[in-house]
Structure formats: C-alpha cells, structure tokens
Amino acid sequence: MAVNQAFLNENPKNDIRVVAKYNRKSRGDSEEDLVKHNYILTEMCKRNNWKYVDYPEIGSGDSIELRPVFQRLLQDIEEGLFDAVLVVDWDRLGRGDMGDTDRIKKALKRSNTLVITPGKWYDLDDDDDDFNVDAKAFIARQEYKMIKFRLNRGKKIGARLGRWTNGTPPFPYDYDPQRKSLIVNENKHTLYRFIIEAALEGHVCDEIAWELNKQGFPSPRNKKWTGTTISRLLRDETHLGKIISNKSEGNGHLKKMPSAKQFKKFPKHLWVVVDNCHQPVKTQEEHNKLLYALMKRKKVPVAARAGKHALSGLVRCAICNSSLPIYRSPKNSSRIRACQHRDHYGNKCTNKGGFAEIIIQEIHVKLMRLEDQIVNRIKDEEGDDFRIIQDAIQQKYREIKQREEAIERIEEGFEAGVYTANRARTRKIKLESELDTLHEELAVLEKQSISAASITDEERLFFIREFWRTMQSSEQDNHQELNKCYKEVISSISWKKEENGPASIEINFL
C-alpha cells in the first residue's frame, strides 16, 4: 500500500474511481487459481473504494483475435470508460507478438488509462514504465513459446504411449485422468450403437440425425444433430481402439493468427497409429462396411442442365433459401416445385409451388418500371449510386455500433449497481428492437450495393434493352437462350407461397 500511496501523492491527477477488472485463466492455471486471482483483485477494489466492471475470460490464447472478452475490454479502454485496468500481472493482458503489445499500449496511452497490479502501477506516459512493459512483454512471449513447445512435445510423446492428448474425447468416450486414456460412457454407448446399427441397415446420415433430434437427444456439442455430424462419427477410427496422431501441422486460422505456421495435412503413411489404447466400440468389419456405404452415397457432381427452363437456376425459397427447380406438368405448363428442404428435425419446408408464368409476368412489369427509373436517373444526373449507397451503409454500421455499445454499457451498469433490473431490462429491450430494425435496413442496402458496384446505370439500361430485343426475336421454346437472357438482368428471384394464399415474389435485378 505504501507504493500505491506514494504514486498517488506524486500524481494527484490520477484519481482512480472506476476500473476494469480483467481476470484470465492462463495455461497451467486451475479453477482454484482463477478464484484466488479474482479474490485478490476484488479486495483491492474494496480497499481503495473503486467501482469496477468484471471482464472474466476463460481460455488461453496468445493473440488478441482469439480472446473476445479482451477485444471488448480494449474497445472500452479506447473509449475512455475506465481510469485503470486491474490485473494480477501484466502478462495477463497478453503474450502475443509485438504488434499485439503495441496495440494494447496505444489504447492505454490514448485514453490515459493506467494498469494496476498488486505489486506495481504502470503509467505508459512514464518512460521507465513504458520500457518495463516492453521488457515484460518480451519475456512473457518467450515463456509462452517455451510452454507451448513443451506442451506439444508432451502431446506427441503421450500419443505414442497410447495416452489421449487430443482434447475433448470423441462420443461415446469420457476421459479418465488417472489412466490418461479413454473409457466408454455406457449411457452414450447405447445411443452410439443405435447410430451404427441404423447406418448399417441402410439409413442415410440425414435420416439418423432427424430421428435423434425428434427424440430429443442432443449432439456431442449439446446442439442439434446434422448429417455431417453423423458422417464424421461413422468415419472416426478412434472408435476402433486406436489413437492417431501426426495427421497435420500448423494452424487453419491464419487470418486471426498471421504468425502461425501454414496448416498442412500429412499423407496417411506418415500418421502415427497406436492400436489397443482403449476399448473399441465398433469392429473393423463394421467400420469397413460403413466406409463403403458412405462412399456409395457420396454425391457425384453432375453437369447442370442449363437452360432446361427460362428461369432455371434463378428461383430460390424465401423461407430457407433453397433452390427451387422448375418442371413441366402433364398439362404442359411450367410449374415451380414446392420446397423439398428439411430441417434438423426432418420437418419439410412449408413453401408451396405454383405457376412459373406468374414470375415471368412479374419480371416484365417490374423491368419496365426499372427501365423508366434508370432513364430518368440518367437524365437528372443524380450522381454515383454506389457512393450514395456506401455512405448509407457506413451510417448504418455506425448506428449499429452505437446501439451495441449502449447495450453493453447497460449490462455493465446493471452489474455495477448503476441501473435497477427493471430499468436495465426496459432500456435493453428498446435498444435490441432498434438494433433488429437497423440490421434489416443494412441487409437491404448491402444487396443494393452489390448491384450498384457491379454495373453502371448505362450498362444496366443496355442489358435491359437487349433483353427486350432478345425476347421479341427468340423462339419461345428455346429455353436455353431465354435462360441466358434472364440471367443478364436478374441475380435471383425469391418465391414464397402459403397454402391457398397468393404468391409473394421478389425480383433482385442486377
């Protein structure tokens, strides 16, 4: 306390009132360590009579991009919401590269925010503190690299010894920390065998997923089952009692971690396979049959039958965004097929089909209206559509950010006792409603932006007039030429029709 008091005496301008309390679980820390650190920081706040907002982060990551809570804290620091940031040690703010350290330092300097630890206060306007921070960041980075190297080496050695070192155990196994291996969870095993036997009986992955969702069984990640989840489960060789390592190296998140090694898969002959590591839950014969069945069902790409109908490839379901095919009925009329898409429960989309002629009529009416608008716009020289739309988009982004920040401040204010529960709830509901409206408006503007960026008004007018010319000169049964003609002026068509109700059609012109 003597050090803290001396600091305050020398710097009377630093009147600390509100602090951000950042507590992060690092590699090697236990839950008990996290509780202990939180207690130390909370006691400091009580002792100094500081108001504080908690920023707890569970999980380790050397890059700022991999720590969402810290990203939010950094944004709040830049906005000057706090007098200081409270951490147990400087390296809790980050062990990333010098770019991350520089980003943190700039945010603290610009907002005149201090960093307070139980042993030292850091003011980055002070040259000595600034130097100490650089030195600590360098040392922390080297320590992190050494810890990471030892962990990776330990994982490789452990895998070769038949120990489980690959994180979360695959369904239906649990991890046994005593033996450092996998054990079968009997409750999960019953469900696993149901999946295996259903697949061996010829049921496809989507059907199995639908059945599990209908019966209310959650997936291994406590979400809905999907055909992809089932497929991965059926292919997994861990269920044969094996542990496989050295399948790849590097990191697939290069955008988030530019300094990481490029992700690369190794060929199968370089894999390290250790047999008889734990109890198998399927036989090799079953595994081979499953792989054969999955290979037979694999969809083979088929060349699209372009031009089968004038609107082929353009019509999409307004409910689930699935493509809607068009077919010729026995009465020789073109019809849009009802949507066949099914959700995770196997429930079929409710969107009905209808006559394609309705869409064609709608296209012609709206295209004539659009042509008039473009002609008037060119005459009046209203200016650059793309620039106007981009300005509107940026304004929407600013308004969305303001609402999101306001919601976060309400939540933090409630935690700090600034707002009552009723007042916080009322203000939050209002802001969330405004946020939903802004996102809808943004989606419309972004669609307009794509169109405006890809083509000018003069080009758009040329294509429309070419469309009319082609429509007049083409034979009406030459669907391939007509389809090409429609695609010159239309990007997509949204179709929605309920039982016994009129069709709702949205034409998205280029």
Side-chain angles (χ1 to χ4, degrees):
M1 282 300 295
V3 174
N4 293 355
Q5 192 60 48
F7 182 91
L8 285 172
N9 290 340
E10 292 173 11
N11 300 273
K13 66 178 182 178
N14 292 304
D15 183 14
I16 308 301
R17 295 180 182 179
V18 183
V19 300
K21 184 157 70 72
Y22 182 66
N23 194 18
R24 177 169 69 92
K25 184 176 180 290
S26 187
R27 274 187 171 87
D29 286 347
S30 64
E31 293 296 330
E32 188 179 339
D33 291 325
L34 199 63
V35 172
K36 181 182 174 183
H37 294 163
N38 187 56
Y39 174 78
I40 291 169
L41 299 179
T42 304
E43 285 300 304
M44 285 180 66
C45 292
K46 290 178 180 178
R47 191 164 60 241
N48 291 284
N49 198 29
W50 294 330
K51 291 182 179 179
Y52 64 89
V53 177
D54 266 316
Y55 289 82
E57 186 143 56
I58 307 297
S60 178
D62 60 335
S63 170
I64 290 175
E65 300 302 328
L66 299 178
R67 292 187 285 146
V69 176
F70 187 74
Q71 290 177 43
R72 183 159 56 91
L73 171 60
L74 203 60
Q75 185 177 344
D76 290 344
I77 289 170
E78 288 169 341
E79 291 180 8
L81 298 184
F82 303 107
D83 300 314
V85 178
L86 197 59
V87 286
V88 290
D89 196 7
W90 174 272
D91 65 9
R92 297 292 155 151
L93 293 179
R95 285 179 166 179
D97 57 25
M98 296 311 292
D100 276 358
T101 302
D102 188 53
R103 182 178 167 188
I104 295 168
K105 284 172 59 179
K106 282 179 178 176
L108 293 166
K109 281 184 177 181
R110 287 171 183 164
S111 60
N112 197 29
T113 306
L114 304 177
V115 175
I116 303 175
T117 71
K120 182 172 175 57
W121 295 42
Y122 296 91
D123 178 3
L124 295 183
D125 286 331
D126 182 277
D127 290 340
D128 290 337
D129 283 355
D130 189 60
F131 175 79
N132 285 336
V133 164
D134 287 340
K136 285 181 75 69
F138 175 77
I139 294 168
R141 182 65 181 166
Q142 296 308 112
E143 287 177 350
Y144 175 81
K145 286 183 177 179
M146 184 55 67
I147 291 169
K148 193 173 178 181
F149 169 75
R150 288 170 180 162
L151 283 172
N152 288 337
R153 183 177 61 185
K155 281 182 69 175
K156 288 179 181 178
I157 294 171
R160 282 165 172 76
L161 294 174
R163 296 172 183 164
W164 181 255
T165 61
N166 291 339
T168 304
F171 188 85
Y173 291 103
D174 289 333
Y175 179 67
D176 182 357
Q178 298 296 325
R179 294 188 295 172
K180 297 183 178 178
S181 64
L182 301 179
I183 55 173
V184 178
N185 181 311
E186 291 304 325
N187 293 329
K188 296 177 182 177
H189 182 253
T190 304
L191 186 59
Y192 174 79
R193 287 307 307 176
F194 168 81
I195 295 170
I196 295 296
E197 287 159 16
L200 290 172
E201 287 171 5
H203 294 284
V204 299
C205 296
D206 282 339
E207 287 177 354
I208 299 170
W210 296 337
E211 185 60 32
L212 294 175
N213 289 328
K214 281 182 179 178
Q215 294 186 32
F217 293 110
S219 75
R221 295 184 179 273
N222 209 30
K223 296 180 179 178
K224 303 298 179 194
W225 290 91
T226 66
T228 303
T229 308
I230 298 293
S231 176
R232 287 174 180 168
L233 198 70
L234 298 177
R235 297 172 189 274
D236 197 338
E237 293 184 62
T238 309
H239 299 132
L240 295 169
K242 302 177 180 182
I243 288 181
I244 303 174
S245 60
N246 203 48
K247 294 173 76 172
S248 63
E249 70 171 6
N251 194 299
H253 300 284
L254 289 181
K255 288 185 178 179
K256 292 184 177 180
M257 302 176 64
S259 60
K261 187 183 287 187
Q262 177 74 41
F263 179 78
K264 179 175 71 174
K265 287 185 177 181
F266 292 131
K268 202 162 186 177
H269 69 273
L270 294 178
W271 294 2
V272 177
V273 182
V274 184
D275 290 296
N276 200 28
C277 298
H278 45 264
Q279 180 185 339
V281 287
K282 67 180 173 184
T283 65
Q284 186 66 51
E285 183 183 1
E286 287 175 329
H287 181 69
N288 293 341
K289 286 181 179 178
L290 292 168
L291 290 183
Y292 179 70
L294 290 168
M295 181 184 67
K296 278 204 310 180
R297 294 178 198 138
K298 190 174 182 182
K299 292 179 181 178
V300 180
V302 179
R305 288 171 289 180
K308 184 179 179 182
H309 185 271
L311 300 179
S312 293
L314 287 171
V315 186
R316 305 197 72 83
C317 174
I319 297 174
C320 65
N321 200 38
S322 298
S323 180
L324 298 179
I326 299 171
Y327 67 98
R328 183 75 61 181
S329 73
K331 295 182 179 180
N332 208 31
S333 63
S334 297
R335 292 187 63 88
I336 299 156
R337 191 179 298 280
C339 187
Q340 303 297 306
H341 176 75
R342 293 179 183 269
D343 64 15
H344 295 321
Y345 297 99
N347 299 315
K348 188 178 170 185
C349 181
T350 58
N351 205 1
K352 304 299 179 184
F355 290 103
E357 186 62 32
I358 300 172
I359 294 181
I360 292 174
Q361 291 171 2
E362 186 76 3
I363 290 171
H364 290 188
V365 170
K366 290 190 175 178
L367 197 59
M368 284 190 284
R369 193 180 304 157
L370 178 64
E371 183 179 8
D372 289 339
Q373 290 173 356
I374 293 171
V375 170
N376 291 332
R377 205 155 55 209
I378 292 172
K379 284 180 181 178
D380 296 341
E381 296 182 347
E382 289 182 2
D384 185 355
D385 276 357
F386 181 72
R387 180 184 55 76
I388 294 168
I389 294 169
Q390 285 299 306
D391 289 344
I393 287 174
Q394 291 306 313
Q395 179 59 30
K396 287 291 177 233
Y397 274 124
R398 284 192 289 271
E399 291 176 19
I400 287 170
K401 186 179 178 182
Q402 287 170 0
R403 299 306 191 283
E404 288 173 341
E405 289 168 352
I407 289 171
E408 286 180 5
R409 285 195 291 272
I410 287 169
E411 291 171 348
E412 289 157 3
F414 172 66
E415 291 173 2
V418 177
Y419 301 116
T420 63
N422 189 46
R423 187 181 175 196
R425 190 183 304 111
T426 303
R427 294 190 65 184
K428 188 177 177 183
I429 289 170
K430 181 177 179 293
L431 285 166
E432 285 175 342
S433 175
E434 292 175 1
L435 198 57
D436 289 341
T437 303
L438 286 168
H439 277 296
E440 289 171 6
E441 292 171 352
L442 178 63
V444 172
L445 285 169
E446 285 179 335
K447 270 188 179 180
Q448 293 174 353
S449 173
I450 293 169
S451 176
S454 60
I455 188 170
T456 65
D457 272 345
E458 286 79 5
E459 290 170 328
R460 196 176 286 113
L461 186 61
F462 171 79
F463 284 126
I464 291 173
R465 287 175 174 170
E466 278 294 297
F467 171 84
W468 295 126
R469 187 189 62 76
T470 307
M471 290 297 292
Q472 289 172 358
S473 61
S474 296
E475 297 179 9
Q476 291 305 301
D477 59 350
N478 189 344
H479 295 296
Q480 188 165 352
E481 186 175 351
L482 290 172
N483 182 244
K484 184 180 178 183
C485 185
Y486 277 109
K487 286 181 177 177
E488 290 285 357
V489 293
I490 297 169
S491 62
S492 66
I493 301 166
S494 178
W495 167 276
K496 183 178 180 181
K497 189 176 187 302
E498 298 178 352
E499 192 75 48
N500 301 323
S504 172
I505 303 166
E506 182 184 341
I507 315 293
N508 298 310
F509 292 103
L510 289 168

